[in-house]
Amino acid sequence: MQIVGYRSRVEEPAALLVAEDGSVRRESLAPGDELAYTLERRHCAGVVNGDDHTPCSNERAPYCDVHTDRWPCARCTGNCDLPLESCREEHAVYLAAFAPDEFKVGVTRSWRLETRLREQGADRAAHLRTVADGRVARQIEADIATEIGDRVRVPTKIAGLGAAVDEDAWSGLLSGFDPIETYDFDYGLDLAERPVSETLATGTVVGAKGRILVLKNGGSTYAVDLRDLVGREVSGGATDRDLQSSLGAFG
């Protein structure tokens, strides 16, 4: 068996995609679900097409050069000729906040705004502008990013789990804009202790926040970057390796 992907969507519980003998099944990550996999060697996750999986033995993970998608908009600043059909759709420019005080600017197609924010695990957000296409949106984003930044790393998001957004810092940031709408997200994690960053697939699911999975295992709480599981071969049965204990209750 191999973990070949994950899903983290607004309308349904998060899930792992597990492939075996060319077929893919969804392993639910709804709160209360139990995971019991032992992680083994990691290599390219190959190709998933619906419920079908084409494996790849190349060592690079989660994807080798052959199976890595190179998204042309990843570092676009609006100096482009709208290379994708989606670039011509209406776009939203937004600010996202990650507890306690990490902020970023971003863009997405307007109809995906709330979904995109939840995919990133944002705690707060503000819809700043709606524009005709992705090129204009990227130009605005690039300008704002010189002051605010346009990415927040997963380890930083994990470090903020269970914390609250700094209200003064967020309000101060928004005072320089006139948002169309603001958002306040709750992922239902209700954490009493600081999770330990770990790569494992054994425990009781507490919940998911974007691509961060929170598990309870042996009385401790762990935060797992789901992307770090992609490409891992797994065997059935809970891991027996020693794990670091939780970092203690919040003060």
Side-chain angles (χ1 to χ4, degrees):
M1 291 185 289
Q2 185 184 25
I3 296 173
V4 295
Y6 61 89
R7 295 288 182 269
S8 182
R9 295 174 175 167
V10 175
E11 66 275 9
E12 58 189 30
L16 285 178
L17 303 183
V18 181
E20 186 173 17
D21 298 328
S23 297
V24 177
R25 61 179 173 82
R26 297 172 63 89
E27 179 81 48
S28 173
L29 298 176
D33 284 343
E34 296 287 339
L35 283 182
Y37 290 114
T38 296
L39 302 180
E40 299 178 354
R41 81 181 188 95
R42 194 182 190 203
H43 58 89
C44 178
V47 178
V48 174
N49 184 11
D51 294 330
D52 298 324
H53 175 244
T54 302
C56 175
S57 61
N58 288 335
E59 289 299 316
R60 183 172 175 179
Y63 301 102
C64 67
D65 288 341
V66 175
H67 296 122
T68 297
D69 289 331
R70 289 176 173 81
W71 185 40
C73 301
R75 304 308 302 160
C76 175
T77 58
N79 184 21
C80 67
D81 59 355
L82 301 171
L84 303 178
E85 184 176 342
S86 59
C87 297
R88 294 171 171 79
E89 295 182 44
E90 180 183 87
H91 276 60
V93 182
Y94 63 83
L95 293 176
F98 302 86
D101 55 4
E102 297 290 335
F103 310 117
K104 68 172 289 265
V105 61
V107 305
T108 188
R109 287 171 288 173
S110 294
W111 62 271
R112 289 199 81 248
L113 177 56
E114 185 172 347
T115 297
R116 181 60 182 145
L117 291 167
R118 286 185 175 274
E119 286 174 346
Q120 295 179 73
D123 294 298
R124 301 283 186 89
H127 179 186
L128 301 182
R129 296 272 302 274
T130 301
V131 296
D133 57 48
R135 180 166 56 198
V136 175
R138 289 293 184 183
Q139 291 169 349
I140 296 170
E141 177 192 40
D143 183 55
I144 297 174
T146 61
E147 299 292 333
I148 297 172
D150 59 3
R151 64 176 56 193
V152 176
R153 302 287 185 180
V154 172
T156 301
K157 296 177 184 180
I158 289 176
L161 285 175
V165 172
D166 183 322
E167 293 288 353
D168 290 339
W170 179 236
S171 297
L173 179 64
L174 292 189
S175 67
F177 301 91
D178 184 18
I180 297 169
E181 186 176 7
T182 58
Y183 301 85
D184 187 350
F185 297 112
D186 182 0
Y187 298 87
L189 297 180
D190 193 25
L191 296 171
E193 57 189 10
R194 298 184 188 279
V196 177
S197 182
E198 185 59 88
T199 303
L200 78 160
T202 294
T204 303
V205 175
V206 177
K209 185 180 181 188
R211 78 185 216 198
I212 301 169
L213 173 67
V214 180
L215 295 173
K216 292 284 286 187
N217 181 302
S220 291
T221 309
Y222 298 93
V224 183
D225 183 348
L226 288 170
R227 185 173 171 83
D228 288 344
L229 298 181
V230 178
R232 285 278 194 168
E233 291 185 0
V234 295
S235 56
T239 183
D240 59 0
R241 67 184 174 89
D242 291 334
L243 299 169
Q244 181 182 340
S245 297
S246 297
L247 302 178
F250 292 108

